Amino acid sequence: MKRYGLYRMMLAGTAMCLLLCLTGCSTVLQELFLVRECVPNDTAQDAGPQASPGTRLSEIAANLPAAAAPEASGQEAARASYQALCSRLQENGRLAGVALLGYVNGPTEAEYANLLQRRGYLDDYAFLAGMGEDHLIRAEEGHQLYCVVPADTDVSVTVSAWMGSPIFGDETGQAGDVLYSSDSGQPLLLLCGHDMVQPNLQVRLERSDGTFCFWYPIPGKDDRIPYLGGAQSALMDFTPNTGVSVEDYDFQIAAPEILQGDWVAWDQYTDSGEPQVCRLRFYRDAAGNDRVEYCYGPPVGEVYARLDGDFVPSVTPAGWITEEMSAFYMDLIGGTAMETGLPADSAYDAPYSFVGIYEIRYYPQLDVIEIGHMFNRPLLNGRSGHWMVFERSTG
């Protein structure tokens, strides 16, 4: 999900201001990502303030983590957004709300703050910025970051390790060690998902009247939202809709003149779900030849690969290849991959060079491009046939 143009920049600025109000000198986010290891426990662990069955939501909201001496308006925004979400859940008879916040590496304080800011999540859910260390449950592996918000204090939550079926949507499997158990009604974050199909956590939500459901956190077929599966009637997806779908707009095959300049795809990931930021630069050299530079790597940290080479806007038709397709002929020139080369690819196994054929679409109303992998190397390892949306970079 993405922000485009000036609108994205304005919302990012607004969100950052709110983030600073909520977290002061980032104390809370620093605490959040001093992540505790999820050592299996035989006894239930409770996160956050204890709550009796009669505890009001307003009291939980008042106890939501906040930085030392935060702005009053920031606290009020956090509590109001939390209470509004809980009210929606209760009105719709749901046990909890769940959201797929995105894909993160660490996570680290900087990456989490960047995720909230860039996606504009704080506009509607300001309480996310103040969630502390005791609200983060981590599976053994995974890059998918979810938020779970119980509807009220009558809903208990138990999170267990899970070994399930490798078939998407098949919820058969076996639960492992209990990693978290609480009846406080507090929201929590889950970092999990060792791949895009098989969940590695099980979440059980239950009311005191015996109503319960199981949820297995994995992305849906639309990888921007969670898959609810058999818990669909008991849960509400509150993932913020902060993007624009290119499916709603007309496109044209991108001409070289349109492509000139810098482009960025913020929310990409590898076949294992590891998040990546991808950047493209189309330019002409002194001799007037079309060129392309491509780099990608984690949202926070060193660039994994930087490549540079020739860009052919319209390839010679042959077999399934049409003249509407473009080609990149690049060499690896930088990044941490210089030590090992690019990963082996079934279609093209040359660790220090890169050949790929793509279709590049331009959406005039959005000023974005969509690049679809056709043949040879995909832009990200293991994502054959994948389409990536790039927005024009202004920074």
Side-chain angles (χ1 to χ4, degrees):
M1 294 181 281
K2 304 173 178 67
R3 290 284 182 190
Y4 297 102
L6 180 61
Y7 180 60
R8 182 178 68 83
M9 294 173 63
M10 292 172 63
L11 278 179
T14 302
M16 179 55 80
C17 292
L18 182 54
L19 178 62
L20 292 174
C21 290
L22 286 167
T23 61
C25 296
S26 300
T27 302
V28 173
L29 289 177
Q30 289 173 357
E31 292 176 356
L32 170 59
F33 293 108
L34 296 173
V35 184
R36 63 187 171 97
E37 295 295 328
C38 279
V39 180
N41 289 299
D42 295 327
T43 58
Q45 295 183 1
D46 196 81
Q50 296 292 325
S52 65
T55 302
R56 294 179 301 170
L57 285 173
S58 58
E59 295 175 7
I60 292 182
N63 287 319
L64 283 174
E71 294 288 341
S73 59
Q75 278 188 323
E76 292 170 2
R79 293 170 184 166
S81 65
Y82 170 73
Q83 291 174 327
L85 175 58
C86 289
S87 295
R88 284 174 54 203
L89 297 173
Q90 295 166 25
E91 290 168 2
N92 287 276
R94 305 304 172 95
L95 292 176
V98 296
L100 174 53
L101 299 183
Y103 303 85
V104 294
N105 276 307
T108 63
E109 173 196 351
E111 188 176 9
Y112 183 64
N114 178 273
L115 185 72
L116 297 179
Q117 173 198 359
R118 176 166 43 79
R119 294 190 170 193
Y121 284 171
L122 300 181
D123 298 345
D124 295 323
Y125 305 111
F127 69 88
L128 290 173
M131 295 183 67
E133 175 190 352
D134 289 339
H135 293 250
L136 179 63
I137 309 302
R138 185 179 224 160
E140 185 175 350
E141 297 178 88
H143 301 281
Q144 303 158 23
L145 185 64
Y146 298 86
C147 182
V148 180
V149 179
D152 52 47
T153 58
D154 193 39
V155 177
S156 63
V157 183
T158 303
V159 180
S160 305
W162 178 258
M163 177 58 71
S165 168
I167 301 173
F168 181 82
D170 184 348
E171 297 179 354
T172 60
Q174 182 175 358
D177 297 305
V178 173
L179 306 179
Y180 171 92
S181 182
S182 175
D183 60 1
S184 70
Q186 290 281 345
L188 64 149
L189 297 172
L190 305 176
L191 183 61
C192 57
H194 62 283
D195 64 28
M196 304 301 289
V197 174
Q198 185 178 14
N200 56 358
L201 287 184
Q202 178 196 71
V203 181
R204 177 187 172 96
L205 299 116
E206 183 175 9
R207 285 196 183 279
S208 59
D209 65 5
T211 304
F212 71 93
C213 76
F214 289 101
W215 177 55
Y216 305 89
I218 54 171
K221 292 183 178 179
D222 178 346
D223 53 22
R224 300 169 298 178
I225 60 176
Y227 176 68
L228 301 185
Q232 187 170 8
S233 61
L235 301 179
M236 175 184 293
D237 172 23
F238 72 95
T239 305
N241 182 15
T242 60
V244 178
S245 174
V246 295
E247 296 177 0
D248 299 331
Y249 296 87
D250 296 327
F251 68 86
Q252 62 194 45
I253 298 300
E257 294 75 19
I258 291 174
L259 292 173
Q260 296 295 299
D262 298 318
W263 302 84
V264 60
W266 294 107
D267 301 321
Q268 297 301 313
Y269 52 85
T270 65
D271 54 346
S272 63
E274 185 176 359
Q276 302 286 297
V277 174
C278 305
R279 297 181 183 274
L280 277 167
R281 182 170 71 96
F282 295 92
Y283 66 100
R284 286 196 171 107
D285 61 20
N289 300 310
D290 286 305
R291 304 276 292 176
V292 62
E293 181 181 4
Y294 174 56
C295 68
Y296 64 98
V300 176
E302 296 184 66
V303 169
Y304 172 69
R306 186 180 301 279
L307 306 105
D308 187 79
D310 295 322
F311 168 51
V312 180
S314 180
V315 296
T316 303
W320 294 99
I321 299 175
T322 70
E323 62 183 5
E324 292 185 338
M325 298 178 188
S326 301
F328 296 168
Y329 298 92
M330 302 182 293
D331 294 312
L332 184 64
I333 61 171
T336 58
M338 288 294 290
E339 298 181 5
T340 59
L342 298 171
D345 185 89
S346 59
Y348 188 80
D349 190 8
Y352 291 92
S353 63
F354 185 111
V355 176
I357 298 177
Y358 314 91
E359 183 176 314
I360 306 178
R361 300 172 176 177
Y362 177 63
Y363 293 80
Q365 293 172 279
L366 301 174
D367 194 28
V368 303
I369 57 174
E370 185 182 30
I371 300 182
H373 170 250
M374 299 291 134
F375 302 101
N376 296 102
R377 272 194 185 273
L379 291 174
L380 288 175
N381 188 54
R383 303 305 305 276
S384 296
H386 180 54
W387 287 83
M388 299 168 59
V389 175
F390 289 78
E391 57 186 276
R392 196 180 294 275
S393 176
T394 58

